[in-house]
Amino acid sequence: RAQCILCTQIPINGIKVLGLFDLGCMTDLMMHEMAYLCQADHIDLAEPVCLQLGTKGSRTCINFGACATVQVGQLETSHYFDVVDINCYDIILRFCCKHNVVLNFGNNTVLVNGQSIKLL
């Protein structure tokens, strides 16, 4: 069976960005360019945090974070992101449990407080 990807356009500070829902990621991520374009609040980290990905030699450091307003379906909340260089997506979200978001890979749906949101 082909790998199922759940992604959609998600408004960040009112600007629609391409977001991926990910249960395996340990943090919520945003691209540097999106943090700038969305005018997210910049947060300097006291010390850089190394981010080790699933492949040998694939490593980067998180030097700063950003806070921005995220809207997923009817849910609108202020949210913290680690800002790093990511590929293919503008943001990666794993905040599903915190905000009652249900990912259903069986029928390709995402429910936010019981309401389905449109996926790409």
Side-chain angles (χ1 to χ4, degrees), residues 33-67:
E33 295 84 357
M34 286 305 110
Y36 175 78
L37 290 173
C38 296
Q39 299 179 354
D41 293 333
H42 181 94
I43 300 169
D44 288 314
L45 300 182
E47 293 184 30
V49 177
C50 287
L51 178 65
Q52 178 68 47
L53 303 176
T55 58
K56 184 177 180 179
S58 181
R59 180 190 298 218
T60 189
C61 284
I62 302 167
N63 294 307
F64 66 95
C67 274

PDB file of all heavy atoms in Angstrom, residues 33-67:
ATOM      1  N   GLU A  33      11.827  30.854   6.078  1.00  0.00           N
ATOM      2  CA  GLU A  33      11.134  31.796   5.197  1.00  0.00           C
ATOM      3  C   GLU A  33       9.695  32.045   5.649  1.00  0.00           C
ATOM      4  O   GLU A  33       9.192  33.163   5.559  1.00  0.00           O
ATOM      5  CB  GLU A  33      11.138  31.286   3.746  1.00  0.00           C
ATOM      6  CG  GLU A  33      12.500  31.199   3.114  1.00  0.00           C
ATOM      7  CD  GLU A  33      13.265  29.912   3.418  1.00  0.00           C
ATOM      8  OE1 GLU A  33      12.755  29.062   4.188  1.00  0.00           O
ATOM      9  OE2 GLU A  33      14.373  29.756   2.904  1.00  0.00           O
ATOM     10  N   MET A  34       9.029  31.002   6.135  1.00  0.00           N
ATOM     11  CA  MET A  34       7.645  31.158   6.589  1.00  0.00           C
ATOM     12  C   MET A  34       7.581  31.988   7.860  1.00  0.00           C
ATOM     13  O   MET A  34       6.681  32.798   8.041  1.00  0.00           O
ATOM     14  CB  MET A  34       6.983  29.797   6.819  1.00  0.00           C
ATOM     15  CG  MET A  34       6.622  29.058   5.564  1.00  0.00           C
ATOM     16  SD  MET A  34       5.580  30.025   4.460  1.00  0.00           S
ATOM     17  CE  MET A  34       6.713  30.361   3.139  1.00  0.00           C
ATOM     18  N   ALA A  35       8.534  31.786   8.750  1.00  0.00           N
ATOM     19  CA  ALA A  35       8.566  32.584   9.983  1.00  0.00           C
ATOM     20  C   ALA A  35       8.691  34.065   9.635  1.00  0.00           C
ATOM     21  O   ALA A  35       8.026  34.911  10.238  1.00  0.00           O
ATOM     22  CB  ALA A  35       9.723  32.140  10.875  1.00  0.00           C
ATOM     23  N   TYR A  36       9.506  34.366   8.631  1.00  0.00           N
ATOM     24  CA  TYR A  36       9.676  35.753   8.201  1.00  0.00           C
ATOM     25  C   TYR A  36       8.429  36.273   7.497  1.00  0.00           C
ATOM     26  O   TYR A  36       7.913  37.339   7.830  1.00  0.00           O
ATOM     27  CB  TYR A  36      10.895  35.855   7.279  1.00  0.00           C
ATOM     28  CG  TYR A  36      11.080  37.222   6.684  1.00  0.00           C
ATOM     29  CD1 TYR A  36      11.627  38.257   7.433  1.00  0.00           C
ATOM     30  CD2 TYR A  36      10.694  37.480   5.374  1.00  0.00           C
ATOM     31  CE1 TYR A  36      11.785  39.524   6.896  1.00  0.00           C
ATOM     32  CE2 TYR A  36      10.859  38.743   4.828  1.00  0.00           C
ATOM     33  CZ  TYR A  36      11.399  39.752   5.589  1.00  0.00           C
ATOM     34  OH  TYR A  36      11.550  41.004   5.053  1.00  0.00           O
ATOM     35  N   LEU A  37       7.924  35.510   6.506  1.00  0.00           N
ATOM     36  CA  LEU A  37       6.767  35.954   5.726  1.00  0.00           C
ATOM     37  C   LEU A  37       5.504  36.111   6.566  1.00  0.00           C
ATOM     38  O   LEU A  37       4.706  37.019   6.334  1.00  0.00           O
ATOM     39  CB  LEU A  37       6.490  34.986   4.573  1.00  0.00           C
ATOM     40  CG  LEU A  37       7.515  34.992   3.447  1.00  0.00           C
ATOM     41  CD1 LEU A  37       7.226  33.873   2.462  1.00  0.00           C
ATOM     42  CD2 LEU A  37       7.532  36.332   2.743  1.00  0.00           C
ATOM     43  N   CYS A  38       5.319  35.222   7.533  1.00  0.00           N
ATOM     44  CA  CYS A  38       4.126  35.277   8.390  1.00  0.00           C
ATOM     45  C   CYS A  38       4.292  36.251   9.557  1.00  0.00           C
ATOM     46  O   CYS A  38       3.389  36.403  10.370  1.00  0.00           O
ATOM     47  CB  CYS A  38       3.806  33.887   8.939  1.00  0.00           C
ATOM     48  SG  CYS A  38       3.371  32.703   7.672  1.00  0.00           S
ATOM     49  N   GLN A  39       5.442  36.865   9.646  1.00  0.00           N
ATOM     50  CA  GLN A  39       5.754  37.793  10.727  1.00  0.00           C
ATOM     51  C   GLN A  39       5.506  37.177  12.100  1.00  0.00           C
ATOM     52  O   GLN A  39       4.921  37.787  13.004  1.00  0.00           O
ATOM     53  CB  GLN A  39       4.964  39.098  10.559  1.00  0.00           C
ATOM     54  CG  GLN A  39       5.287  39.814   9.279  1.00  0.00           C
ATOM     55  CD  GLN A  39       4.498  41.088   9.086  1.00  0.00           C
ATOM     56  OE1 GLN A  39       3.605  41.404   9.860  1.00  0.00           O
ATOM     57  NE2 GLN A  39       4.823  41.832   8.051  1.00  0.00           N
ATOM     58  N   ALA A  40       5.971  35.932  12.237  1.00  0.00           N
ATOM     59  CA  ALA A  40       5.845  35.228  13.520  1.00  0.00           C
ATOM     60  C   ALA A  40       6.791  35.860  14.540  1.00  0.00           C
ATOM     61  O   ALA A  40       7.849  36.381  14.185  1.00  0.00           O
ATOM     62  CB  ALA A  40       6.179  33.749  13.329  1.00  0.00           C
ATOM     63  N   ASP A  41       6.390  35.833  15.802  1.00  0.00           N
ATOM     64  CA  ASP A  41       7.236  36.369  16.873  1.00  0.00           C
ATOM     65  C   ASP A  41       8.489  35.518  17.000  1.00  0.00           C
ATOM     66  O   ASP A  41       8.416  34.301  17.201  1.00  0.00           O
ATOM     67  CB  ASP A  41       6.474  36.380  18.200  1.00  0.00           C
ATOM     68  CG  ASP A  41       5.314  37.353  18.192  1.00  0.00           C
ATOM     69  OD1 ASP A  41       5.378  38.343  17.430  1.00  0.00           O
ATOM     70  OD2 ASP A  41       4.347  37.133  18.932  1.00  0.00           O
ATOM     71  N   HIS A  42       9.646  36.145  16.887  1.00  0.00           N
ATOM     72  CA  HIS A  42      10.954  35.486  16.914  1.00  0.00           C
ATOM     73  C   HIS A  42      11.373  35.230  18.364  1.00  0.00           C
ATOM     74  O   HIS A  42      11.294  36.132  19.190  1.00  0.00           O
ATOM     75  CB  HIS A  42      11.969  36.394  16.209  1.00  0.00           C
ATOM     76  CG  HIS A  42      13.345  35.853  16.139  1.00  0.00           C
ATOM     77  ND1 HIS A  42      13.796  35.158  15.057  1.00  0.00           N
ATOM     78  CD2 HIS A  42      14.375  35.911  17.028  1.00  0.00           C
ATOM     79  CE1 HIS A  42      15.059  34.814  15.270  1.00  0.00           C
ATOM     80  NE2 HIS A  42      15.425  35.251  16.453  1.00  0.00           N
ATOM     81  N   ILE A  43      11.820  34.006  18.654  1.00  0.00           N
ATOM     82  CA  ILE A  43      12.270  33.655  19.999  1.00  0.00           C
ATOM     83  C   ILE A  43      13.673  33.068  19.900  1.00  0.00           C
ATOM     84  O   ILE A  43      13.863  32.000  19.301  1.00  0.00           O
ATOM     85  CB  ILE A  43      11.318  32.621  20.659  1.00  0.00           C
ATOM     86  CG1 ILE A  43       9.913  33.198  20.754  1.00  0.00           C
ATOM     87  CG2 ILE A  43      11.855  32.194  22.011  1.00  0.00           C
ATOM     88  CD1 ILE A  43       8.868  32.190  21.139  1.00  0.00           C
ATOM     89  N   ASP A  44      14.670  33.762  20.442  1.00  0.00           N
ATOM     90  CA  ASP A  44      16.038  33.247  20.456  1.00  0.00           C
ATOM     91  C   ASP A  44      16.159  32.169  21.523  1.00  0.00           C
ATOM     92  O   ASP A  44      15.668  32.345  22.641  1.00  0.00           O
ATOM     93  CB  ASP A  44      17.045  34.365  20.753  1.00  0.00           C
ATOM     94  CG  ASP A  44      17.212  35.318  19.585  1.00  0.00           C
ATOM     95  OD1 ASP A  44      17.353  34.832  18.446  1.00  0.00           O
ATOM     96  OD2 ASP A  44      17.199  36.538  19.816  1.00  0.00           O
ATOM     97  N   LEU A  45      16.812  31.071  21.179  1.00  0.00           N
ATOM     98  CA  LEU A  45      17.079  30.014  22.155  1.00  0.00           C
ATOM     99  C   LEU A  45      18.391  30.325  22.870  1.00  0.00           C
ATOM    100  O   LEU A  45      19.334  30.835  22.258  1.00  0.00           O
ATOM    101  CB  LEU A  45      17.156  28.651  21.470  1.00  0.00           C
ATOM    102  CG  LEU A  45      15.901  28.204  20.710  1.00  0.00           C
ATOM    103  CD1 LEU A  45      16.113  26.820  20.116  1.00  0.00           C
ATOM    104  CD2 LEU A  45      14.680  28.204  21.610  1.00  0.00           C
ATOM    105  N   ALA A  46      18.464  30.019  24.148  1.00  0.00           N
ATOM    106  CA  ALA A  46      19.686  30.262  24.921  1.00  0.00           C
ATOM    107  C   ALA A  46      20.846  29.450  24.357  1.00  0.00           C
ATOM    108  O   ALA A  46      21.976  29.930  24.277  1.00  0.00           O
ATOM    109  CB  ALA A  46      19.458  29.928  26.391  1.00  0.00           C
ATOM    110  N   GLU A  47      20.565  28.218  23.958  1.00  0.00           N
ATOM    111  CA  GLU A  47      21.569  27.346  23.347  1.00  0.00           C
ATOM    112  C   GLU A  47      20.934  26.621  22.173  1.00  0.00           C
ATOM    113  O   GLU A  47      19.774  26.206  22.252  1.00  0.00           O
ATOM    114  CB  GLU A  47      22.069  26.312  24.353  1.00  0.00           C
ATOM    115  CG  GLU A  47      22.859  26.901  25.494  1.00  0.00           C
ATOM    116  CD  GLU A  47      23.416  25.823  26.410  1.00  0.00           C
ATOM    117  OE1 GLU A  47      23.687  24.709  25.931  1.00  0.00           O
ATOM    118  OE2 GLU A  47      23.555  26.111  27.608  1.00  0.00           O
ATOM    119  N   PRO A  48      21.681  26.440  21.067  1.00  0.00           N
ATOM    120  CA  PRO A  48      21.136  25.670  19.940  1.00  0.00           C
ATOM    121  C   PRO A  48      20.840  24.232  20.355  1.00  0.00           C
ATOM    122  O   PRO A  48      21.503  23.664  21.224  1.00  0.00           O
ATOM    123  CB  PRO A  48      22.267  25.694  18.903  1.00  0.00           C
ATOM    124  CG  PRO A  48      23.145  26.828  19.306  1.00  0.00           C
ATOM    125  CD  PRO A  48      23.007  26.958  20.794  1.00  0.00           C
ATOM    126  N   VAL A  49      19.807  23.675  19.754  1.00  0.00           N
ATOM    127  CA  VAL A  49      19.411  22.290  20.011  1.00  0.00           C
ATOM    128  C   VAL A  49      19.621  21.505  18.728  1.00  0.00           C
ATOM    129  O   VAL A  49      19.122  21.895  17.671  1.00  0.00           O
ATOM    130  CB  VAL A  49      17.931  22.221  20.447  1.00  0.00           C
ATOM    131  CG1 VAL A  49      17.500  20.783  20.645  1.00  0.00           C
ATOM    132  CG2 VAL A  49      17.688  23.049  21.688  1.00  0.00           C
ATOM    133  N   CYS A  50      20.363  20.397  18.808  1.00  0.00           N
ATOM    134  CA  CYS A  50      20.592  19.575  17.616  1.00  0.00           C
ATOM    135  C   CYS A  50      19.359  18.749  17.315  1.00  0.00           C
ATOM    136  O   CYS A  50      18.728  18.185  18.212  1.00  0.00           O
ATOM    137  CB  CYS A  50      21.796  18.669  17.810  1.00  0.00           C
ATOM    138  SG  CYS A  50      23.347  19.593  17.738  1.00  0.00           S
ATOM    139  N   LEU A  51      19.018  18.690  16.048  1.00  0.00           N
ATOM    140  CA  LEU A  51      17.877  17.918  15.573  1.00  0.00           C
ATOM    141  C   LEU A  51      18.422  16.791  14.712  1.00  0.00           C
ATOM    142  O   LEU A  51      18.980  17.031  13.645  1.00  0.00           O
ATOM    143  CB  LEU A  51      16.932  18.816  14.769  1.00  0.00           C
ATOM    144  CG  LEU A  51      15.710  18.173  14.149  1.00  0.00           C
ATOM    145  CD1 LEU A  51      14.765  17.667  15.224  1.00  0.00           C
ATOM    146  CD2 LEU A  51      14.990  19.175  13.260  1.00  0.00           C
ATOM    147  N   GLN A  52      18.324  15.567  15.191  1.00  0.00           N
ATOM    148  CA  GLN A  52      18.808  14.399  14.453  1.00  0.00           C
ATOM    149  C   GLN A  52      17.644  13.753  13.736  1.00  0.00           C
ATOM    150  O   GLN A  52      16.650  13.393  14.364  1.00  0.00           O
ATOM    151  CB  GLN A  52      19.456  13.382  15.399  1.00  0.00           C
ATOM    152  CG  GLN A  52      19.942  12.132  14.713  1.00  0.00           C
ATOM    153  CD  GLN A  52      21.119  12.408  13.790  1.00  0.00           C
ATOM    154  OE1 GLN A  52      22.062  13.083  14.157  1.00  0.00           O
ATOM    155  NE2 GLN A  52      21.054  11.878  12.587  1.00  0.00           N
ATOM    156  N   LEU A  53      17.757  13.646  12.427  1.00  0.00           N
ATOM    157  CA  LEU A  53      16.706  13.024  11.637  1.00  0.00           C
ATOM    158  C   LEU A  53      16.987  11.535  11.486  1.00  0.00           C
ATOM    159  O   LEU A  53      17.969  11.021  12.016  1.00  0.00           O
ATOM    160  CB  LEU A  53      16.597  13.736  10.290  1.00  0.00           C
ATOM    161  CG  LEU A  53      16.335  15.244  10.420  1.00  0.00           C
ATOM    162  CD1 LEU A  53      16.342  15.905   9.059  1.00  0.00           C
ATOM    163  CD2 LEU A  53      15.033  15.508  11.135  1.00  0.00           C
ATOM    164  N   GLY A  54      16.153  10.829  10.753  1.00  0.00           N
ATOM    165  CA  GLY A  54      16.214   9.374  10.676  1.00  0.00           C
ATOM    166  C   GLY A  54      17.293   8.791   9.792  1.00  0.00           C
ATOM    167  O   GLY A  54      17.364   7.584   9.648  1.00  0.00           O
ATOM    168  N   THR A  55      18.146   9.607   9.190  1.00  0.00           N
ATOM    169  CA  THR A  55      19.178   9.067   8.312  1.00  0.00           C
ATOM    170  C   THR A  55      20.557   9.500   8.786  1.00  0.00           C
ATOM    171  O   THR A  55      20.717  10.540   9.423  1.00  0.00           O
ATOM    172  CB  THR A  55      18.978   9.544   6.849  1.00  0.00           C
ATOM    173  OG1 THR A  55      19.003  10.962   6.845  1.00  0.00           O
ATOM    174  CG2 THR A  55      17.670   9.046   6.282  1.00  0.00           C
ATOM    175  N   LYS A  56      21.558   8.719   8.445  1.00  0.00           N
ATOM    176  CA  LYS A  56      22.929   9.007   8.846  1.00  0.00           C
ATOM    177  C   LYS A  56      23.386  10.331   8.239  1.00  0.00           C
ATOM    178  O   LYS A  56      23.220  10.570   7.055  1.00  0.00           O
ATOM    179  CB  LYS A  56      23.843   7.874   8.393  1.00  0.00           C
ATOM    180  CG  LYS A  56      25.261   8.033   8.845  1.00  0.00           C
ATOM    181  CD  LYS A  56      26.080   6.846   8.435  1.00  0.00           C
ATOM    182  CE  LYS A  56      27.515   7.032   8.896  1.00  0.00           C
ATOM    183  NZ  LYS A  56      28.332   5.886   8.524  1.00  0.00           N
ATOM    184  N   GLY A  57      23.951  11.180   9.055  1.00  0.00           N
ATOM    185  CA  GLY A  57      24.479  12.448   8.579  1.00  0.00           C
ATOM    186  C   GLY A  57      23.429  13.527   8.381  1.00  0.00           C
ATOM    187  O   GLY A  57      23.755  14.632   7.988  1.00  0.00           O
ATOM    188  N   SER A  58      22.179  13.233   8.640  1.00  0.00           N
ATOM    189  CA  SER A  58      21.116  14.218   8.458  1.00  0.00           C
ATOM    190  C   SER A  58      20.867  14.906   9.785  1.00  0.00           C
ATOM    191  O   SER A  58      20.122  14.424  10.620  1.00  0.00           O
ATOM    192  CB  SER A  58      19.848  13.517   7.955  1.00  0.00           C
ATOM    193  OG  SER A  58      18.828  14.440   7.763  1.00  0.00           O
ATOM    194  N   ARG A  59      21.504  16.051   9.971  1.00  0.00           N
ATOM    195  CA  ARG A  59      21.415  16.742  11.255  1.00  0.00           C
ATOM    196  C   ARG A  59      21.410  18.249  11.012  1.00  0.00           C
ATOM    197  O   ARG A  59      22.050  18.748  10.115  1.00  0.00           O
ATOM    198  CB  ARG A  59      22.609  16.370  12.117  1.00  0.00           C
ATOM    199  CG  ARG A  59      22.612  17.036  13.457  1.00  0.00           C
ATOM    200  CD  ARG A  59      23.907  16.829  14.166  1.00  0.00           C
ATOM    201  NE  ARG A  59      24.157  15.432  14.418  1.00  0.00           N
ATOM    202  CZ  ARG A  59      24.704  14.968  15.514  1.00  0.00           C
ATOM    203  NH1 ARG A  59      25.062  15.788  16.459  1.00  0.00           N
ATOM    204  NH2 ARG A  59      24.920  13.693  15.671  1.00  0.00           N
ATOM    205  N   THR A  60      20.693  18.939  11.827  1.00  0.00           N
ATOM    206  CA  THR A  60      20.671  20.393  11.784  1.00  0.00           C
ATOM    207  C   THR A  60      20.510  20.901  13.206  1.00  0.00           C
ATOM    208  O   THR A  60      20.244  20.116  14.120  1.00  0.00           O
ATOM    209  CB  THR A  60      19.527  20.906  10.876  1.00  0.00           C
ATOM    210  OG1 THR A  60      19.674  22.311  10.703  1.00  0.00           O
ATOM    211  CG2 THR A  60      18.159  20.601  11.455  1.00  0.00           C
ATOM    212  N   CYS A  61      20.688  22.184  13.399  1.00  0.00           N
ATOM    213  CA  CYS A  61      20.512  22.776  14.722  1.00  0.00           C
ATOM    214  C   CYS A  61      19.338  23.742  14.711  1.00  0.00           C
ATOM    215  O   CYS A  61      19.122  24.451  13.734  1.00  0.00           O
ATOM    216  CB  CYS A  61      21.769  23.511  15.164  1.00  0.00           C
ATOM    217  SG  CYS A  61      23.070  22.405  15.709  1.00  0.00           S
ATOM    218  N   ILE A  62      18.611  23.745  15.808  1.00  0.00           N
ATOM    219  CA  ILE A  62      17.524  24.697  15.996  1.00  0.00           C
ATOM    220  C   ILE A  62      18.117  25.863  16.772  1.00  0.00           C
ATOM    221  O   ILE A  62      18.555  25.705  17.913  1.00  0.00           O
ATOM    222  CB  ILE A  62      16.360  24.058  16.788  1.00  0.00           C
ATOM    223  CG1 ILE A  62      15.839  22.821  16.061  1.00  0.00           C
ATOM    224  CG2 ILE A  62      15.253  25.064  17.019  1.00  0.00           C
ATOM    225  CD1 ILE A  62      14.914  21.955  16.902  1.00  0.00           C
ATOM    226  N   ASN A  63      18.177  27.028  16.124  1.00  0.00           N
ATOM    227  CA  ASN A  63      18.761  28.205  16.751  1.00  0.00           C
ATOM    228  C   ASN A  63      17.719  29.146  17.322  1.00  0.00           C
ATOM    229  O   ASN A  63      18.020  29.938  18.205  1.00  0.00           O
ATOM    230  CB  ASN A  63      19.635  28.961  15.750  1.00  0.00           C
ATOM    231  CG  ASN A  63      20.843  28.145  15.350  1.00  0.00           C
ATOM    232  OD1 ASN A  63      21.570  27.683  16.209  1.00  0.00           O
ATOM    233  ND2 ASN A  63      21.030  27.961  14.063  1.00  0.00           N
ATOM    234  N   PHE A  64      16.493  29.093  16.773  1.00  0.00           N
ATOM    235  CA  PHE A  64      15.445  29.952  17.302  1.00  0.00           C
ATOM    236  C   PHE A  64      14.079  29.355  17.037  1.00  0.00           C
ATOM    237  O   PHE A  64      13.923  28.408  16.281  1.00  0.00           O
ATOM    238  CB  PHE A  64      15.549  31.392  16.778  1.00  0.00           C
ATOM    239  CG  PHE A  64      15.305  31.560  15.306  1.00  0.00           C
ATOM    240  CD1 PHE A  64      14.049  31.898  14.826  1.00  0.00           C
ATOM    241  CD2 PHE A  64      16.330  31.425  14.404  1.00  0.00           C
ATOM    242  CE1 PHE A  64      13.819  32.086  13.484  1.00  0.00           C
ATOM    243  CE2 PHE A  64      16.118  31.609  13.043  1.00  0.00           C
ATOM    244  CZ  PHE A  64      14.856  31.939  12.588  1.00  0.00           C
ATOM    245  N   GLY A  65      13.092  29.913  17.715  1.00  0.00           N
ATOM    246  CA  GLY A  65      11.716  29.478  17.557  1.00  0.00           C
ATOM    247  C   GLY A  65      10.851  30.646  17.133  1.00  0.00           C
ATOM    248  O   GLY A  65      11.328  31.773  16.975  1.00  0.00           O
ATOM    249  N   ALA A  66       9.574  30.344  16.940  1.00  0.00           N
ATOM    250  CA  ALA A  66       8.629  31.381  16.540  1.00  0.00           C
ATOM    251  C   ALA A  66       7.258  31.050  17.116  1.00  0.00           C
ATOM    252  O   ALA A  66       6.883  29.884  17.208  1.00  0.00           O
ATOM    253  CB  ALA A  66       8.554  31.469  15.024  1.00  0.00           C
ATOM    254  N   CYS A  67       6.535  32.074  17.507  1.00  0.00           N
ATOM    255  CA  CYS A  67       5.144  31.914  17.933  1.00  0.00           C
ATOM    256  C   CYS A  67       4.251  32.588  16.904  1.00  0.00           C
ATOM    257  O   CYS A  67       4.552  33.688  16.444  1.00  0.00           O
ATOM    258  CB  CYS A  67       4.909  32.556  19.296  1.00  0.00           C
ATOM    259  SG  CYS A  67       5.305  31.469  20.654  1.00  0.00           S
TER     260      CYS A  67
END
